[in-house]
Amino acid sequence: MVGPHRVRFAGKTDIGLVRAHNEDSLLIPREMPLAVVSDGMGGHAAGDVASRITVETIDQHYRDTARSGPNTWPFKLPSLEIEKQRMSVAIQLANSNIFETAQADGSKKGMGCTVDAIYFNQGRFFIGHVGDSRVYRIREGRIQMLTEDHSLLNDYLRMKELSGDEGVHFPQKNVVVRALGLAEQVHVDVIADAFKVGDVFLLCSDGLSGMLDDRVLLDIITARDSLDTSCNELIKAANDAGGNDNITAILCRIEKP
């Protein structure tokens, strides 16, 4: 329960049809309304280790701060800012843990990952985002991407160096320009807004969003009442489209209690 609302979750990860192993990790809530998707960096050492560290660190930080409360001393912050800070700190801690692990173990040098985390509290959602995994919101029959890809392709598109059609064939479309573990510090995008009953949030790695366009995602999610079935169908559709990468999807739906 989140105040007067209930949040229902479902999630699944799949190796896909091309990769030798799955570098994605996910966190489905056990006791608190927190979900995480992390995509280990393809081509980097121990991407699966980086993504696992990320979900474990964020989970632990939220558990610790649930007991003690976020440390905002010496400032008195409003609850909105406290929760935004809580999300940012959780992801920065994950970044530090990955970076320090890689520094201590040469076999893991250069490992990294993306992350999208979402937390629901008192009528609001809080998203933490680094990389090119994505968060979408489905509301009243429409789908909206809430995050912005930290990718070379998106940088070119924002600078209008490429058209949308050219972006489809951009040779470095999978190159990320911001990720966890590659430097001692990382900037975290934090998004906060109010949710409504009926909202559905999709967190996914680019193994899903890179294979299916927004219309297909919307059609699959809205065609079924079961979130578990929708996750299975999303994975299947991505594999049917080629399954070129690991595929991870989490769905979160706001319901009446």
Side-chain angles (χ1 to χ4, degrees), residues 219-231:
D219 288 347
I220 291 173
I221 294 167
T222 56
R224 296 154 183 86
D225 185 60
S226 167
L227 296 184
D228 288 302
T229 301
S230 293
C231 282

Side-chain angles (χ1 to χ4, degrees), residues 93-106:
L93 285 172
N95 180 76
S96 295
N97 288 344
I98 296 166
F99 185 79
E100 290 170 5
T101 300
Q103 294 297 109
D105 183 349

Side-chain angles (χ1 to χ4, degrees), residues 2 5 44 57 83 99 115 175 180 193 211 231 235 237 244:
V2 184
H5 304 94
H44 287 75
T57 301
E83 289 298 348
F99 185 79
V115 65
V175 175
L180 300 190
D193 202 353
M211 302 305 299
C231 282
I235 300 292
N244 294 338

Side-chain angles (χ1 to χ4, degrees), residues 121-215:
N121 187 39
Q122 299 301 315
R124 294 190 180 100
F125 64 85
F126 299 85
I127 294 169
H129 167 68
V130 178
D132 64 351
S133 295
R134 293 179 176 179
V135 180
Y136 294 86
R137 180 180 59 199
I138 294 90
R139 173 180 285 178
E140 298 173 352
R142 293 185 294 274
I143 187 169
Q144 178 187 5
M145 188 169 76
L146 300 179
T147 52
E148 182 176 356
D149 292 348
H150 301 142
S151 66
L152 189 61
L153 170 59
N154 194 50
D155 282 355
Y156 273 86
L157 291 172
R158 282 194 295 109
M159 293 185 294
K160 304 192 185 314
E161 297 288 334
L162 292 173
S163 69
D165 290 339
E166 289 172 325
V168 174
H169 305 290
F170 186 61
Q172 288 88 35
K173 66 189 303 182
N174 293 324
V175 175
V176 297
V177 296
R178 198 190 305 176
L180 300 190
L182 304 186
E184 288 187 81
Q185 303 291 329
V186 68
H187 178 73
V188 181
D189 291 354
V190 179
I191 303 158
D193 202 353
F195 59 71
K196 295 181 179 180
V197 171
D199 283 351
V200 178
F201 296 85
L202 167 66
L203 287 70
C204 64
S205 61
D206 67 336
L208 182 71
S209 59
M211 302 305 299
L212 306 175
D213 64 31
D214 291 3
R215 185 73 233 180

Side-chain angles (χ1 to χ4, degrees), residues 6 15 74 178:
R6 180 187 301 276
I15 194 172
R178 198 190 305 176

Side-chain angles (χ1 to χ4, degrees), residues 6 11 21 31 34 51 57 62 68 73 78 84 115 129 193 234 240 244:
R6 180 187 301 276
H21 64 286
E31 296 148 9
L34 170 72
S51 68
T57 301
Y62 268 81
S68 62
W73 183 90
K84 289 170 69 174
V115 65
H129 167 68
D193 202 353
L234 288 168
D240 288 346
N244 294 338

